[in-house]
Short mmCIF file of all heavy atoms in Angstrom, two decimals:
data_model
loop_
_atom_site.label_atom_id
_atom_site.label_comp_id
_atom_site.label_asym_id
_atom_site.label_seq_id
_atom_site.Cartn_x
_atom_site.Cartn_y
_atom_site.Cartn_z
N MET A 168 -146.30 15.22 -195.22
CA MET A 168 -147.54 15.97 -195.06
C MET A 168 -147.60 16.53 -193.64
O MET A 168 -147.33 15.84 -192.67
CB MET A 168 -148.73 15.07 -195.33
CG MET A 168 -150.06 15.77 -195.14
SD MET A 168 -151.47 14.69 -195.46
CE MET A 168 -152.26 15.63 -196.71
N LYS A 169 -147.99 17.80 -193.55
CA LYS A 169 -148.13 18.45 -192.25
C LYS A 169 -149.47 18.09 -191.63
O LYS A 169 -150.43 17.78 -192.33
CB LYS A 169 -148.02 19.96 -192.41
CG LYS A 169 -146.64 20.41 -192.85
CD LYS A 169 -146.60 21.91 -192.95
CE LYS A 169 -145.22 22.37 -193.38
NZ LYS A 169 -145.14 23.83 -193.45
N LEU A 170 -149.55 18.15 -190.32
CA LEU A 170 -150.73 17.75 -189.57
C LEU A 170 -152.02 18.45 -190.01
O LEU A 170 -153.06 17.83 -190.14
CB LEU A 170 -150.51 17.99 -188.07
CG LEU A 170 -151.65 17.62 -187.14
CD1 LEU A 170 -151.91 16.12 -187.18
CD2 LEU A 170 -151.33 18.05 -185.73
N MET A 171 -151.95 19.76 -190.27
CA MET A 171 -153.15 20.53 -190.61
C MET A 171 -153.26 20.83 -192.11
O MET A 171 -154.13 21.61 -192.51
CB MET A 171 -153.17 21.84 -189.82
CG MET A 171 -153.22 21.65 -188.30
SD MET A 171 -154.65 20.73 -187.73
CE MET A 171 -155.94 21.91 -187.99
N GLU A 172 -152.45 20.22 -192.92
CA GLU A 172 -152.49 20.45 -194.36
C GLU A 172 -153.86 20.07 -194.92
O GLU A 172 -154.40 19.02 -194.61
CB GLU A 172 -151.40 19.63 -195.04
CG GLU A 172 -151.12 20.09 -196.46
CD GLU A 172 -149.86 19.45 -197.01
OE1 GLU A 172 -148.86 19.37 -196.27
OE2 GLU A 172 -149.91 19.03 -198.17
N GLY A 173 -154.42 20.98 -195.72
CA GLY A 173 -155.74 20.75 -196.30
C GLY A 173 -156.88 21.22 -195.42
O GLY A 173 -158.03 21.18 -195.82
N LYS A 174 -156.58 21.67 -194.22
CA LYS A 174 -157.61 22.16 -193.28
C LYS A 174 -157.72 23.67 -193.41
O LYS A 174 -156.77 24.36 -193.75
CB LYS A 174 -157.25 21.80 -191.84
CG LYS A 174 -157.03 20.32 -191.61
CD LYS A 174 -158.30 19.55 -191.75
CE LYS A 174 -158.03 18.08 -191.44
NZ LYS A 174 -159.16 17.25 -191.67
N LYS A 175 -158.91 24.19 -193.11
CA LYS A 175 -159.18 25.62 -193.18
C LYS A 175 -159.79 26.07 -191.86
O LYS A 175 -160.52 25.31 -191.23
CB LYS A 175 -160.13 25.94 -194.32
CG LYS A 175 -159.55 25.59 -195.68
CD LYS A 175 -160.52 25.87 -196.78
CE LYS A 175 -159.88 25.45 -198.11
NZ LYS A 175 -160.74 25.76 -199.24
N GLY A 176 -159.52 27.31 -191.47
CA GLY A 176 -160.07 27.84 -190.23
C GLY A 176 -160.19 29.34 -190.26
O GLY A 176 -159.59 30.00 -191.10
N VAL A 177 -160.98 29.86 -189.33
CA VAL A 177 -161.16 31.30 -189.18
C VAL A 177 -160.61 31.68 -187.81
O VAL A 177 -160.91 31.04 -186.82
CB VAL A 177 -162.64 31.71 -189.26
CG1 VAL A 177 -162.80 33.21 -189.04
CG2 VAL A 177 -163.26 31.29 -190.57
N ILE A 178 -159.81 32.72 -187.77
CA ILE A 178 -159.24 33.20 -186.52
C ILE A 178 -159.88 34.54 -186.17
O ILE A 178 -159.87 35.47 -186.96
CB ILE A 178 -157.71 33.38 -186.63
CG1 ILE A 178 -157.04 32.06 -187.03
CG2 ILE A 178 -157.14 33.91 -185.33
CD1 ILE A 178 -157.11 30.97 -186.02
N PHE A 179 -160.43 34.62 -184.98
CA PHE A 179 -161.00 35.85 -184.44
C PHE A 179 -160.10 36.34 -183.31
O PHE A 179 -159.52 35.55 -182.58
CB PHE A 179 -162.39 35.60 -183.85
CG PHE A 179 -163.42 35.17 -184.84
CD1 PHE A 179 -163.58 33.84 -185.17
CD2 PHE A 179 -164.24 36.11 -185.46
CE1 PHE A 179 -164.54 33.43 -186.08
CE2 PHE A 179 -165.20 35.72 -186.37
CZ PHE A 179 -165.35 34.38 -186.68
N GLY A 180 -159.96 37.63 -183.16
CA GLY A 180 -159.29 38.19 -181.99
C GLY A 180 -157.81 38.48 -182.11
O GLY A 180 -157.19 38.85 -181.13
N VAL A 181 -157.23 38.35 -183.29
CA VAL A 181 -155.82 38.71 -183.44
C VAL A 181 -155.73 40.23 -183.48
O VAL A 181 -156.40 40.88 -184.27
CB VAL A 181 -155.21 38.11 -184.73
CG1 VAL A 181 -153.81 38.63 -184.95
CG2 VAL A 181 -155.21 36.60 -184.66
N SER A 182 -154.91 40.80 -182.60
CA SER A 182 -154.71 42.25 -182.62
C SER A 182 -153.24 42.62 -182.61
O SER A 182 -152.89 43.76 -182.88
CB SER A 182 -155.43 42.91 -181.44
OG SER A 182 -154.93 42.41 -180.22
N ASN A 183 -152.38 41.66 -182.26
CA ASN A 183 -150.94 41.89 -182.27
C ASN A 183 -150.24 40.53 -182.24
O ASN A 183 -150.90 39.49 -182.24
CB ASN A 183 -150.51 42.76 -181.08
CG ASN A 183 -150.89 42.15 -179.76
OD1 ASN A 183 -150.56 41.01 -179.45
ND2 ASN A 183 -151.61 42.91 -178.94
N THR A 184 -148.93 40.54 -182.20
CA THR A 184 -148.17 39.28 -182.23
C THR A 184 -147.86 38.75 -180.83
O THR A 184 -147.02 37.87 -180.69
CB THR A 184 -146.85 39.47 -183.01
OG1 THR A 184 -146.09 40.50 -182.37
CG2 THR A 184 -147.11 39.82 -184.46
N HIS A 185 -148.53 39.26 -179.82
CA HIS A 185 -148.25 38.86 -178.44
C HIS A 185 -149.39 38.09 -177.79
O HIS A 185 -149.24 37.62 -176.67
CB HIS A 185 -147.92 40.08 -177.59
CG HIS A 185 -146.79 40.89 -178.16
ND1 HIS A 185 -145.49 40.46 -178.15
CD2 HIS A 185 -146.79 42.09 -178.77
CE1 HIS A 185 -144.73 41.36 -178.73
NE2 HIS A 185 -145.50 42.36 -179.13
N GLY A 186 -150.53 37.96 -178.45
CA GLY A 186 -151.70 37.35 -177.83
C GLY A 186 -151.87 35.87 -178.14
O GLY A 186 -151.19 35.28 -178.99
N ILE A 187 -152.82 35.27 -177.46
CA ILE A 187 -153.12 33.86 -177.63
C ILE A 187 -153.65 33.58 -179.04
O ILE A 187 -153.27 32.58 -179.66
CB ILE A 187 -154.13 33.39 -176.57
CG1 ILE A 187 -153.46 33.42 -175.19
CG2 ILE A 187 -154.66 32.00 -176.88
CD1 ILE A 187 -154.39 33.18 -174.04
N ALA A 188 -154.53 34.45 -179.56
CA ALA A 188 -155.08 34.23 -180.89
C ALA A 188 -153.97 34.19 -181.94
O ALA A 188 -154.00 33.35 -182.85
CB ALA A 188 -156.10 35.31 -181.23
N TYR A 189 -152.99 35.06 -181.81
CA TYR A 189 -151.86 35.04 -182.73
C TYR A 189 -151.08 33.74 -182.60
O TYR A 189 -150.68 33.14 -183.59
CB TYR A 189 -150.93 36.23 -182.50
CG TYR A 189 -149.66 36.12 -183.31
CD1 TYR A 189 -149.66 36.44 -184.66
CD2 TYR A 189 -148.47 35.67 -182.74
CE1 TYR A 189 -148.50 36.32 -185.42
CE2 TYR A 189 -147.32 35.55 -183.49
CZ TYR A 189 -147.34 35.87 -184.83
OH TYR A 189 -146.19 35.74 -185.58
N GLY A 190 -150.83 33.32 -181.38
CA GLY A 190 -150.09 32.07 -181.15
C GLY A 190 -150.79 30.88 -181.77
O GLY A 190 -150.14 30.02 -182.38
N ILE A 191 -152.09 30.83 -181.65
CA ILE A 191 -152.87 29.75 -182.26
C ILE A 191 -152.78 29.82 -183.78
O ILE A 191 -152.55 28.82 -184.45
CB ILE A 191 -154.33 29.80 -181.78
CG1 ILE A 191 -154.40 29.47 -180.29
CG2 ILE A 191 -155.21 28.86 -182.61
CD1 ILE A 191 -155.74 29.77 -179.65
N ALA A 192 -152.98 31.02 -184.33
CA ALA A 192 -152.90 31.20 -185.78
C ALA A 192 -151.53 30.78 -186.31
O ALA A 192 -151.43 30.09 -187.33
CB ALA A 192 -153.18 32.66 -186.14
N LYS A 193 -150.48 31.18 -185.62
CA LYS A 193 -149.12 30.86 -186.06
C LYS A 193 -148.89 29.35 -186.06
O LYS A 193 -148.32 28.80 -187.01
CB LYS A 193 -148.11 31.55 -185.15
CG LYS A 193 -146.68 31.35 -185.58
CD LYS A 193 -145.73 32.12 -184.70
CE LYS A 193 -144.31 31.86 -185.17
NZ LYS A 193 -143.36 31.90 -184.11
N GLN A 194 -149.32 28.67 -185.02
CA GLN A 194 -149.14 27.23 -184.94
C GLN A 194 -149.93 26.52 -186.04
O GLN A 194 -149.43 25.57 -186.67
CB GLN A 194 -149.57 26.71 -183.57
CG GLN A 194 -148.63 27.10 -182.46
CD GLN A 194 -147.24 26.50 -182.63
OE1 GLN A 194 -147.10 25.31 -182.84
NE2 GLN A 194 -146.24 27.35 -182.55
N LEU A 195 -151.16 26.96 -186.28
CA LEU A 195 -151.96 26.36 -187.35
C LEU A 195 -151.31 26.59 -188.71
O LEU A 195 -151.25 25.68 -189.54
CB LEU A 195 -153.38 26.93 -187.33
CG LEU A 195 -154.25 26.48 -186.16
CD1 LEU A 195 -155.54 27.29 -186.12
CD2 LEU A 195 -154.55 25.00 -186.26
N PHE A 196 -150.84 27.80 -188.95
CA PHE A 196 -150.19 28.13 -190.21
C PHE A 196 -148.95 27.26 -190.42
O PHE A 196 -148.75 26.69 -191.49
CB PHE A 196 -149.82 29.61 -190.26
CG PHE A 196 -149.02 30.00 -191.46
CD1 PHE A 196 -149.61 30.03 -192.72
CD2 PHE A 196 -147.68 30.33 -191.35
CE1 PHE A 196 -148.86 30.38 -193.85
CE2 PHE A 196 -146.93 30.68 -192.46
CZ PHE A 196 -147.52 30.71 -193.71
N GLU A 197 -148.14 27.15 -189.39
CA GLU A 197 -146.92 26.35 -189.49
C GLU A 197 -147.21 24.87 -189.68
O GLU A 197 -146.40 24.14 -190.25
CB GLU A 197 -146.04 26.57 -188.26
CG GLU A 197 -145.42 27.96 -188.25
CD GLU A 197 -144.66 28.28 -186.97
OE1 GLU A 197 -144.66 27.46 -186.03
OE2 GLU A 197 -144.05 29.37 -186.93
N ALA A 198 -148.40 24.44 -189.23
CA ALA A 198 -148.80 23.04 -189.40
C ALA A 198 -149.49 22.80 -190.74
O ALA A 198 -149.94 21.70 -191.03
CB ALA A 198 -149.70 22.61 -188.25
N GLY A 199 -149.62 23.87 -191.56
CA GLY A 199 -150.15 23.71 -192.91
C GLY A 199 -151.58 24.16 -193.14
O GLY A 199 -152.10 24.01 -194.25
N ALA A 200 -152.24 24.71 -192.14
CA ALA A 200 -153.64 25.14 -192.31
C ALA A 200 -153.74 26.42 -193.13
O ALA A 200 -152.82 27.24 -193.12
CB ALA A 200 -154.29 25.36 -190.94
N GLU A 201 -154.86 26.56 -193.81
CA GLU A 201 -155.19 27.81 -194.52
C GLU A 201 -156.11 28.60 -193.60
O GLU A 201 -157.15 28.09 -193.17
CB GLU A 201 -155.90 27.50 -195.83
CG GLU A 201 -156.20 28.72 -196.66
CD GLU A 201 -156.87 28.37 -197.98
OE1 GLU A 201 -156.51 27.35 -198.59
OE2 GLU A 201 -157.76 29.14 -198.39
N ILE A 202 -155.74 29.83 -193.29
CA ILE A 202 -156.44 30.59 -192.26
C ILE A 202 -157.07 31.85 -192.85
O ILE A 202 -156.47 32.55 -193.64
CB ILE A 202 -155.46 31.01 -191.15
CG1 ILE A 202 -154.75 29.77 -190.59
CG2 ILE A 202 -156.17 31.75 -190.04
CD1 ILE A 202 -153.57 30.10 -189.71
N ALA A 203 -158.31 32.12 -192.40
CA ALA A 203 -158.98 33.38 -192.70
C ALA A 203 -158.95 34.22 -191.42
O ALA A 203 -159.09 33.68 -190.32
CB ALA A 203 -160.42 33.13 -193.13
N PHE A 204 -158.73 35.51 -191.55
CA PHE A 204 -158.66 36.40 -190.40
C PHE A 204 -159.80 37.40 -190.44
O PHE A 204 -160.23 37.83 -191.50
CB PHE A 204 -157.34 37.17 -190.41
CG PHE A 204 -156.14 36.35 -190.03
CD1 PHE A 204 -155.54 35.53 -190.95
CD2 PHE A 204 -155.63 36.41 -188.75
CE1 PHE A 204 -154.43 34.78 -190.62
CE2 PHE A 204 -154.52 35.66 -188.40
CZ PHE A 204 -153.92 34.84 -189.34
N THR A 205 -160.25 37.80 -189.25
CA THR A 205 -161.27 38.84 -189.14
C THR A 205 -160.74 39.97 -188.27
O THR A 205 -159.79 39.80 -187.51
CB THR A 205 -162.57 38.31 -188.50
OG1 THR A 205 -162.30 37.92 -187.16
CG2 THR A 205 -163.12 37.12 -189.29
N TYR A 206 -161.38 41.12 -188.41
CA TYR A 206 -161.04 42.28 -187.59
C TYR A 206 -162.32 43.06 -187.36
O TYR A 206 -163.31 42.89 -188.07
CB TYR A 206 -159.99 43.17 -188.28
CG TYR A 206 -160.40 43.63 -189.65
CD1 TYR A 206 -161.16 44.78 -189.83
CD2 TYR A 206 -160.07 42.89 -190.78
CE1 TYR A 206 -161.57 45.18 -191.09
CE2 TYR A 206 -160.47 43.29 -192.04
CZ TYR A 206 -161.21 44.43 -192.19
OH TYR A 206 -161.62 44.83 -193.44
N ALA A 207 -162.33 43.89 -186.31
CA ALA A 207 -163.51 44.69 -185.97
C ALA A 207 -163.18 46.17 -186.19
O ALA A 207 -162.60 46.81 -185.33
CB ALA A 207 -163.92 44.44 -184.53
N GLY A 208 -163.51 46.66 -187.35
CA GLY A 208 -163.33 48.08 -187.64
C GLY A 208 -162.02 48.41 -188.33
O GLY A 208 -161.09 47.62 -188.39
N GLU A 209 -161.98 49.62 -188.83
CA GLU A 209 -160.86 50.10 -189.64
C GLU A 209 -159.55 50.15 -188.86
O GLU A 209 -158.49 49.82 -189.38
CB GLU A 209 -161.21 51.49 -190.18
CG GLU A 209 -160.30 51.97 -191.27
CD GLU A 209 -160.79 53.28 -191.85
OE1 GLU A 209 -162.00 53.40 -192.13
OE2 GLU A 209 -159.95 54.18 -192.01
N VAL A 210 -159.60 50.55 -187.61
CA VAL A 210 -158.39 50.64 -186.79
C VAL A 210 -157.76 49.26 -186.63
O VAL A 210 -156.54 49.09 -186.75
CB VAL A 210 -158.70 51.26 -185.42
CG1 VAL A 210 -157.50 51.18 -184.49
CG2 VAL A 210 -159.16 52.70 -185.57
N MET A 211 -158.57 48.25 -186.36
CA MET A 211 -158.06 46.90 -186.18
C MET A 211 -157.57 46.31 -187.49
O MET A 211 -156.65 45.49 -187.50
CB MET A 211 -159.12 46.00 -185.54
CG MET A 211 -159.43 46.36 -184.10
SD MET A 211 -157.98 46.41 -183.03
CE MET A 211 -157.49 44.72 -183.03
N GLU A 212 -158.15 46.71 -188.60
CA GLU A 212 -157.68 46.21 -189.89
C GLU A 212 -156.20 46.54 -190.10
O GLU A 212 -155.43 45.71 -190.58
CB GLU A 212 -158.49 46.78 -191.05
CG GLU A 212 -158.01 46.27 -192.39
CD GLU A 212 -158.77 46.84 -193.58
OE1 GLU A 212 -159.59 47.76 -193.40
OE2 GLU A 212 -158.53 46.35 -194.70
N LYS A 213 -155.80 47.73 -189.69
CA LYS A 213 -154.40 48.14 -189.85
C LYS A 213 -153.45 47.25 -189.05
O LYS A 213 -152.30 47.09 -189.41
CB LYS A 213 -154.24 49.60 -189.43
CG LYS A 213 -154.94 50.56 -190.37
CD LYS A 213 -154.86 51.99 -189.87
CE LYS A 213 -155.67 52.91 -190.75
NZ LYS A 213 -155.69 54.29 -190.26
N ARG A 214 -153.94 46.67 -187.96
CA ARG A 214 -153.13 45.77 -187.15
C ARG A 214 -153.17 44.35 -187.67
O ARG A 214 -152.15 43.65 -187.68
CB ARG A 214 -153.63 45.76 -185.71
CG ARG A 214 -153.47 47.05 -184.97
CD ARG A 214 -154.16 46.92 -183.65
NE ARG A 214 -153.55 47.76 -182.63
CZ ARG A 214 -153.79 47.64 -181.35
NH1 ARG A 214 -154.61 46.71 -180.91
NH2 ARG A 214 -153.20 48.45 -180.49
N VAL A 215 -154.34 43.90 -188.07
CA VAL A 215 -154.54 42.49 -188.45
C VAL A 215 -154.02 42.18 -189.84
O VAL A 215 -153.43 41.13 -190.07
CB VAL A 215 -156.04 42.11 -188.33
CG1 VAL A 215 -156.29 40.71 -188.85
CG2 VAL A 215 -156.50 42.24 -186.88
N ARG A 216 -154.23 43.08 -190.78
CA ARG A 216 -153.87 42.80 -192.17
C ARG A 216 -152.41 42.38 -192.35
O ARG A 216 -152.14 41.39 -193.02
CB ARG A 216 -154.22 43.99 -193.08
CG ARG A 216 -154.00 43.70 -194.55
CD ARG A 216 -154.65 44.71 -195.45
NE ARG A 216 -156.10 44.65 -195.41
CZ ARG A 216 -156.83 43.77 -196.08
NH1 ARG A 216 -156.25 42.85 -196.83
NH2 ARG A 216 -158.15 43.79 -196.00
N PRO A 217 -151.44 43.09 -191.79
CA PRO A 217 -150.04 42.65 -191.98
C PRO A 217 -149.78 41.25 -191.41
O PRO A 217 -149.03 40.46 -191.99
CB PRO A 217 -149.22 43.70 -191.24
CG PRO A 217 -150.11 44.87 -191.07
CD PRO A 217 -151.50 44.35 -191.06
N ILE A 218 -150.40 40.94 -190.29
CA ILE A 218 -150.24 39.61 -189.69
C ILE A 218 -150.85 38.56 -190.60
O ILE A 218 -150.24 37.52 -190.89
CB ILE A 218 -150.89 39.57 -188.29
CG1 ILE A 218 -150.13 40.49 -187.34
CG2 ILE A 218 -150.92 38.14 -187.75
CD1 ILE A 218 -150.83 40.74 -186.01
N ALA A 219 -152.06 38.82 -191.07
CA ALA A 219 -152.75 37.87 -191.95
C ALA A 219 -151.99 37.67 -193.25
O ALA A 219 -151.85 36.55 -193.73
CB ALA A 219 -154.17 38.36 -192.23
N GLU A 220 -151.49 38.75 -193.82
CA GLU A 220 -150.74 38.64 -195.07
C GLU A 220 -149.44 37.86 -194.87
O GLU A 220 -149.01 37.14 -195.77
CB GLU A 220 -150.48 40.03 -195.65
CG GLU A 220 -151.73 40.67 -196.20
CD GLU A 220 -151.56 42.11 -196.66
OE1 GLU A 220 -150.51 42.72 -196.35
OE2 GLU A 220 -152.49 42.63 -197.30
N SER A 221 -148.84 37.96 -193.70
CA SER A 221 -147.62 37.20 -193.44
C SER A 221 -147.88 35.70 -193.38
O SER A 221 -146.96 34.90 -193.51
CB SER A 221 -146.96 37.67 -192.13
OG SER A 221 -147.66 37.17 -191.01
N MET A 222 -149.15 35.33 -193.18
CA MET A 222 -149.54 33.92 -193.16
C MET A 222 -150.30 33.53 -194.43
O MET A 222 -151.03 32.54 -194.45
CB MET A 222 -150.38 33.63 -191.91
CG MET A 222 -149.60 33.83 -190.63
SD MET A 222 -150.56 33.34 -189.21
CE MET A 222 -149.64 34.12 -187.91
N ASN A 223 -150.14 34.34 -195.46
CA ASN A 223 -150.74 34.08 -196.78
C ASN A 223 -152.25 33.90 -196.74
O ASN A 223 -152.81 33.12 -197.50
CB ASN A 223 -150.09 32.86 -197.43
CG ASN A 223 -148.61 32.99 -197.57
OD1 ASN A 223 -148.10 34.06 -197.89
ND2 ASN A 223 -147.88 31.94 -197.28
N ALA A 224 -152.93 34.65 -195.88
CA ALA A 224 -154.38 34.56 -195.78
C ALA A 224 -155.05 35.06 -197.05
O ALA A 224 -154.72 36.12 -197.56
CB ALA A 224 -154.88 35.36 -194.59
N LYS A 225 -155.98 34.27 -197.55
CA LYS A 225 -156.75 34.67 -198.74
C LYS A 225 -157.96 35.50 -198.35
O LYS A 225 -158.48 36.26 -199.16
CB LYS A 225 -157.19 33.42 -199.51
CG LYS A 225 -156.04 32.66 -200.10
CD LYS A 225 -156.51 31.43 -200.83
CE LYS A 225 -155.32 30.64 -201.35
NZ LYS A 225 -155.74 29.35 -201.91
N ILE A 226 -158.44 35.31 -197.12
CA ILE A 226 -159.61 36.05 -196.65
C ILE A 226 -159.22 36.85 -195.41
O ILE A 226 -158.74 36.31 -194.42
CB ILE A 226 -160.77 35.10 -196.30
CG1 ILE A 226 -161.22 34.33 -197.53
CG2 ILE A 226 -161.94 35.88 -195.68
CD1 ILE A 226 -162.23 33.24 -197.26
N ILE A 227 -159.40 38.17 -195.52
CA ILE A 227 -159.18 39.10 -194.41
C ILE A 227 -160.37 40.04 -194.44
O ILE A 227 -160.49 40.85 -195.35
CB ILE A 227 -157.87 39.89 -194.59
CG1 ILE A 227 -156.70 38.96 -194.85
CG2 ILE A 227 -157.61 40.77 -193.37
CD1 ILE A 227 -155.44 39.66 -195.36
N MET A 228 -161.29 39.90 -193.48
CA MET A 228 -162.51 40.69 -193.59
C MET A 228 -163.03 41.23 -192.26
O MET A 228 -162.71 40.70 -191.21
CB MET A 228 -163.61 39.86 -194.26
CG MET A 228 -164.01 38.62 -193.52
SD MET A 228 -165.17 37.58 -194.43
CE MET A 228 -166.57 38.64 -194.57
N ASN A 229 -163.82 42.28 -192.37
CA ASN A 229 -164.44 42.90 -191.22
C ASN A 229 -165.51 41.97 -190.64
O ASN A 229 -166.30 41.39 -191.37
CB ASN A 229 -165.07 44.24 -191.63
CG ASN A 229 -165.58 45.01 -190.44
OD1 ASN A 229 -164.99 45.00 -189.39
ND2 ASN A 229 -166.68 45.70 -190.66
N CYS A 230 -165.52 41.83 -189.34
CA CYS A 230 -166.53 41.02 -188.66
C CYS A 230 -166.78 41.67 -187.31
O CYS A 230 -166.09 41.41 -186.34
CB CYS A 230 -166.04 39.58 -188.49
SG CYS A 230 -167.28 38.51 -187.74
N ASP A 231 -167.76 42.55 -187.28
CA ASP A 231 -168.03 43.31 -186.06
C ASP A 231 -169.22 42.71 -185.34
O ASP A 231 -170.26 42.58 -185.86
CB ASP A 231 -168.28 44.77 -186.42
CG ASP A 231 -168.32 45.65 -185.20
OD1 ASP A 231 -168.03 45.17 -184.09
OD2 ASP A 231 -168.64 46.84 -185.35
#
């Protein structure tokens, strides 16, 4: 069993694969957590959605 298996969380602030928010999301995902991602506006959705989908996110939604 992974450390975060069965845990759920929301990640705010992911905009690319170089930031702290991405690093946190990646570590949580690798530890077994289920993550929901948010983005602020249509432009950010284009950046966040591929990252979120790569981590099998079930929830990807606008949060402005």
Side-chain angles (χ1 to χ4, degrees):
M168 178 180 237
K169 294 182 179 181
L170 180 64
M171 299 301 288
E172 196 169 318
K174 304 292 183 185
K175 297 178 181 183
V177 178
I178 303 293
F179 296 87
V181 173
S182 60
N183 58 54
T184 59
H185 305 289
I187 292 171
Y189 172 78
I191 292 168
K193 184 177 179 211
Q194 289 296 309
L195 289 170
F196 174 71
E197 289 174 356
E201 183 178 323
I202 305 167
F204 286 81
T205 65
Y206 57 86
E209 194 174 314
V210 172
M211 292 305 294
E212 180 181 8
K213 292 175 185 176
R214 293 173 151 194
V215 174
R216 186 166 292 280
I218 294 169
E220 289 174 348
S221 75
M222 296 185 196
N223 303 320
K225 294 179 183 172
I226 299 172
I227 308 166
M228 61 186 297
N229 187 36
C230 183
D231 190 7

